[in-house]
Amino acid sequence: GGETDSQPFGEDAQVRVFFEVSREVVGKVALTLGVMDASGRQIMHFSSLASAIELEGREAGFYAIDFRFKCPLTPGEYNLAAGISSMSRSALRNSQMVVESVMDYCVGGARFSVAEPEVEGIQDLWGVCYVPSQAQLSKVD
């Protein structure tokens, strides 16, 4: 509900991106949000199109789009970058949109950290993302 540069591990996250529409938007245009690790590698990507939010036809003015997700990132430092791009469906991957042209891009967006969990216990927090899992032991003859 407020501004922060730290995200609790494993909890719900919300990133609000503000933008201005200054002229007519034509075509399948989306606001996208990328999450990068410390080396600059994009590890998560969100698009307003995935929530059926297109920018085409919006009247001039200021807007905000909220991206909400359960944060799977392990403790560490991360970067955010937002952009506005025209998009089209990938010819190779049915489930993926491809950037046709970038209209605006926030270089060097906000930095944030994911905090260590406050709950003690065994959690295997290696890698970039944490995925809950269960293991089962079986005797093989």
Side-chain angles (χ1 to χ4, degrees):
E3 287 187 31
T4 184
D5 61 357
S6 181
Q7 167 66 36
F9 168 75
E11 294 189 12
D12 292 338
Q14 175 179 317
V15 177
R16 177 172 284 169
V17 180
F18 295 94
F19 63 99
E20 179 183 10
V21 173
S22 58
R23 62 182 186 272
E24 181 182 7
V25 179
V26 178
K28 192 173 272 307
V29 176
L31 184 126
T32 59
L33 176 68
V35 180
M36 283 74 63
D37 65 11
S39 70
R41 180 182 57 186
Q42 185 167 319
I43 53 175
M44 291 172 33
H45 180 264
F46 304 100
S47 170
S48 64
L49 291 178
S51 296
I53 299 171
E54 293 186 33
L55 303 186
E56 183 175 33
R58 304 280 170 201
E59 62 184 49
F62 292 94
Y63 295 85
I65 292 180
D66 293 327
F67 293 96
R68 293 183 180 92
F69 56 96
K70 187 159 204 74
C71 185
L73 301 172
T74 59
E77 298 288 322
Y78 301 93
N79 297 303
L80 296 170
I84 295 178
S85 306
S86 60
M87 311 288 284
S88 65
R89 186 156 310 279
S90 169
L92 300 175
R93 292 184 167 172
N94 186 17
S95 63
Q96 190 175 51
M97 298 295 289
V98 188
V99 173
E100 288 182 351
S101 67
V102 176
M103 297 172 181
D104 197 2
Y105 189 76
C106 176
V107 178
R111 291 187 61 123
F112 71 100
S113 64
V114 173
E116 290 285 338
E118 293 182 13
V119 177
E120 290 186 23
I122 298 174
Q123 293 182 351
D124 198 10
L125 299 181
W126 289 91
V128 176
C129 294
Y130 171 75
V131 178
S133 65
Q134 294 180 337
Q136 181 176 341
L137 174 67
S138 301
K139 185 174 183 202
V140 180
D141 294 324

